[in-house]
């Protein structure tokens, strides 16, 4: 790993610039930028809508794009449609290319109308295929839905759930831990016993129980909101204990005593003077917590207790790949698992680098 700048240089350089000096963190950062940009522009990049389904093309393999024509010369990109047939010898449904007609791949072509950035009416797509043609970059699922489009729309859930959970769990954990450490005494004892009781609950099993008792007629938006809230309410307790320990050492500092001397309220002293001193740890903890939220949502959806079909998330898309025959003959169904792995690894690499920068002593442990 590249040598990182000393923590004293933070007053002169932006923390992001310092972290990106590490080649592994820089690579992870740009991977995440590409992932989030892709899912943010899902309606523009994906050739098909969320509702698209072609039942006649169930488990269709990825389309092949050609740039060399029959005469061996370069040409504009084109593809062929697939024809489904039944293999009597192996008793299996298979696909073959229909070479009787080629379909050109078009870029920035007009297509189905949608709202760019959620509010701008737009009808252009990054790529499309001529009318009558079908283009499945990552094949289709059992219902004939384009996997590439669903990966983009599913990523909007899988990649955002972590940040939404952080908006609930970290402010709650900081305030709770700050109050407990600052007030001390019996208040501290009671508050920490409550936090420890919450920490003792096996979180994943609790998620399964809570998700399983949710009404079956709930929309995916409502289920998504509840999953975020549940994850947040479970994750704040352990964080609050660490903040409490930091506050115990900070509250004896001179600037805290000075704040008390001028008559500042307890809440103001905690929020304005003590908690800002814990920001280094908060940044590290937030970065390292996002992967756990992504994995929790993916795990619930994989088990059928999270986002429900037909809405997509990487977890419920990966569920189709649990069958051995699909892993062997339809490897494109494993793509959601690969993206989960890449996103989690990228967050962990960046989190470890930030920890090395903000807490140089951690490298010596």
């Amino acid at each position: 790993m590249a040598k990182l700048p000393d923590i004293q240089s933070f007053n002169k350089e932006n923390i992001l610039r310092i972290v990106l000096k590490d080649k592994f963190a820089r690579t992870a950062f740009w991977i995440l930028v590409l992932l989030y940009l892709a899912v943010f522009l899902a309606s523009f990049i994906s050739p098909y809508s969320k509702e698209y389904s072609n039942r006649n093309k169930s488990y269709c393999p990825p389309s092949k794009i050609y740039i060399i024509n029959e005469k061996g010369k370069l040409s504009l990109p084109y593809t062929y449609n697939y024809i489904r047939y039944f293999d009597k010898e192996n008793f299996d449904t298979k696909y073959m290319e229909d070479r009787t007609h080629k379909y050109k791949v078009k870029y920035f072509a007009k297509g189905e109308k949608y709202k760019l950035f959620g509010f701008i009416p737009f009808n252009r797509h990054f790529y499309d295929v001529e009318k009558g043609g079908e283009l499945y970059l990552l094949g289709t699922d059992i219902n004939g839905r384009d996997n590439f489009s669903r990966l983009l729309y599913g990523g909007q859930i899988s990649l955002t759930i972590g940040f939404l959970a952080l908006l609930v769990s970290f402010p709650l954990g900081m305030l709770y831990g700050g109050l407990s450490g600052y007030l001390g005494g019996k208040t501290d004892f009671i508050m920490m016993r409550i936090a420890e009781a919450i920490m003792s609950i096996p979180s994943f099993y609790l998620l399964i129980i809570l998700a399983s008792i949710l009404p079956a007629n709930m929309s995916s938006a409502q289920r998504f909101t509840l999953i975020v809230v549940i994850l947040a309410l479970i994750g704040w307790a352990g964080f609050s204990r660490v903040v409490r320990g930091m506050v115990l050492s900070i509250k004896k500092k001179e600037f805290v005593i000075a704040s008390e001397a001028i008559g500042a309220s307890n809440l103001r002293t905690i929020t304005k003077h003590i908690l800002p001193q814990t920001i280094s740890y908060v940044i590290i903890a937030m970065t390292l917590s996002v992967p756990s939220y992504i994995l929790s949502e993916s795990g619930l959806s994989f088990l059928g207790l999270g986002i429900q079909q037909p809405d997509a998330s990487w977890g419920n898309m990966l569920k189709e790949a649990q069958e051995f025959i699909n892993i062997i003959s339809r490897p494109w169904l494993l793509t959601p698992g690969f993206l989960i792995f890449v996103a989690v690894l990228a967050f962990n690499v960046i989190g470890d680098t930030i920890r090395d920068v903000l807490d140089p002593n951690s490298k010596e442990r």
Side-chain angles (χ1 to χ4, degrees):
M1 184 174 289
K3 184 177 180 181
L4 297 170
D6 188 83
I7 192 170
Q8 301 300 326
S9 63
F10 284 163
N11 295 331
K12 300 179 180 179
E13 294 188 74
N14 182 276
I15 183 174
L16 180 61
R17 191 183 309 163
I18 296 173
V19 170
L20 293 183
K21 287 186 177 182
D22 179 83
K23 61 181 180 180
F24 295 108
R26 184 168 59 250
T27 302
F29 172 80
W30 287 115
I31 287 174
L32 289 176
V33 168
L34 289 175
L35 285 176
Y36 278 96
L37 186 62
V39 301
F40 186 64
L41 297 175
S43 299
F44 171 67
I45 298 174
S46 61
Y48 300 103
S49 65
K50 294 180 181 180
E51 296 78 20
Y52 173 84
S53 177
N54 184 354
R55 296 301 179 94
N56 294 321
K57 294 296 173 67
S58 175
Y59 287 139
C60 181
S63 301
K64 298 177 181 178
I65 298 178
Y66 301 90
I67 58 173
I68 306 294
N69 60 25
E70 298 83 353
K71 298 180 181 179
K73 296 182 179 180
L74 284 173
S75 70
L76 294 175
Y78 65 92
T79 187
Y80 296 104
N81 285 348
Y82 279 106
I83 300 175
R84 187 171 67 172
Y85 69 96
F86 185 72
D87 185 356
K88 295 181 179 179
E89 293 183 1
N90 299 311
F91 293 95
D92 190 18
T93 299
K94 294 187 176 181
Y95 287 89
M96 63 178 293
E97 287 184 330
D98 179 8
R99 295 278 181 153
T100 60
H101 194 286
K102 64 174 64 173
Y103 298 91
K104 293 181 180 178
V105 178
K106 302 180 294 182
Y107 296 95
F108 301 100
K110 290 184 178 181
E112 184 178 339
K113 291 184 179 180
Y114 61 93
K115 291 185 178 179
L116 187 65
F117 305 118
F119 63 92
I120 303 176
F122 208 62
N123 66 344
R124 297 253 176 198
H125 292 267
F126 179 65
Y127 75 93
D128 204 346
V129 67
E130 283 184 328
K131 188 176 182 180
E134 297 166 345
L135 182 58
Y136 308 119
L137 291 183
L138 292 174
T140 64
D141 63 8
I142 191 173
N143 294 309
R145 297 173 295 197
D146 178 46
N147 276 323
F148 180 73
S149 299
R150 284 173 59 78
L151 279 173
L152 294 175
Y153 289 114
Q156 293 176 341
I157 291 177
S158 297
L159 291 178
T160 58
I161 192 167
F163 291 103
L164 293 178
L166 291 181
L167 292 177
V168 178
S169 63
F170 273 69
L172 178 60
M174 286 184 68
L175 185 58
Y176 190 91
L179 285 170
S180 178
Y182 182 75
L183 297 177
K186 292 183 179 179
T187 303
D188 178 38
F189 179 82
I190 295 173
M191 293 180 71
M192 282 300 99
R193 298 299 79 77
I194 294 174
E196 288 170 358
I198 294 175
M199 290 174 61
S200 67
I201 300 173
S203 58
F204 193 73
Y205 296 107
L206 176 64
L207 283 171
I208 292 176
I209 293 171
L210 293 176
S212 62
I213 63 177
L214 294 178
N217 59 352
M218 289 183 64
S219 67
S220 285
Q222 293 171 329
R223 189 174 290 268
F224 175 73
T225 303
L226 281 176
I227 290 175
V228 170
V229 173
I230 292 170
L231 290 173
L233 293 178
I234 291 174
W236 67 268
F239 174 68
S240 69
R241 278 183 58 83
V242 180
V243 172
R244 175 252 185 188
M246 298 177 70
V247 171
L248 287 175
S249 62
I250 295 173
K251 71 177 185 178
K252 300 300 182 182
K253 301 283 186 180
E254 292 181 357
F255 61 88
V256 177
I257 297 174
S259 175
E260 296 170 342
I262 62 174
S265 64
N266 290 343
L267 185 61
R268 180 176 178 82
T269 301
I270 293 170
T271 56
K272 295 293 185 179
H273 302 287
I274 296 179
L275 291 183
Q277 303 301 313
T278 68
I279 195 65
S280 297
Y281 168 74
V282 171
I283 293 174
I284 297 169
M286 288 178 68
T287 309
L288 295 175
S289 295
V290 173
S292 65
Y293 290 124
I294 293 175
L295 289 174
S296 296
E297 183 280 324
S298 299
L300 283 176
S301 297
F302 180 83
L303 295 173
L305 301 173
I307 306 302
Q308 302 293 311
Q309 300 283 1
D311 294 302
S313 82
W314 289 352
N316 66 19
M317 289 182 67
L318 186 60
K319 187 176 181 180
E320 284 193 60
Q322 66 181 330
E323 299 179 14
F324 180 75
I325 186 63
N326 284 341
I327 296 176
I328 298 300
S329 59
R330 304 177 183 106
W332 60 86
L333 296 177
L334 293 170
T335 308
F338 173 75
L339 291 179
I340 293 172
F341 168 77
V342 169
V344 170
L345 180 62
F347 272 114
N348 283 332
V349 168
I350 293 177
D352 287 340
T353 306
I354 292 177
R355 179 174 57 193
D356 291 344
V357 172
L358 296 181
D359 184 14
N361 294 327
S362 67
K363 293 183 287 185
E364 301 174 1
R365 295 171 187 168

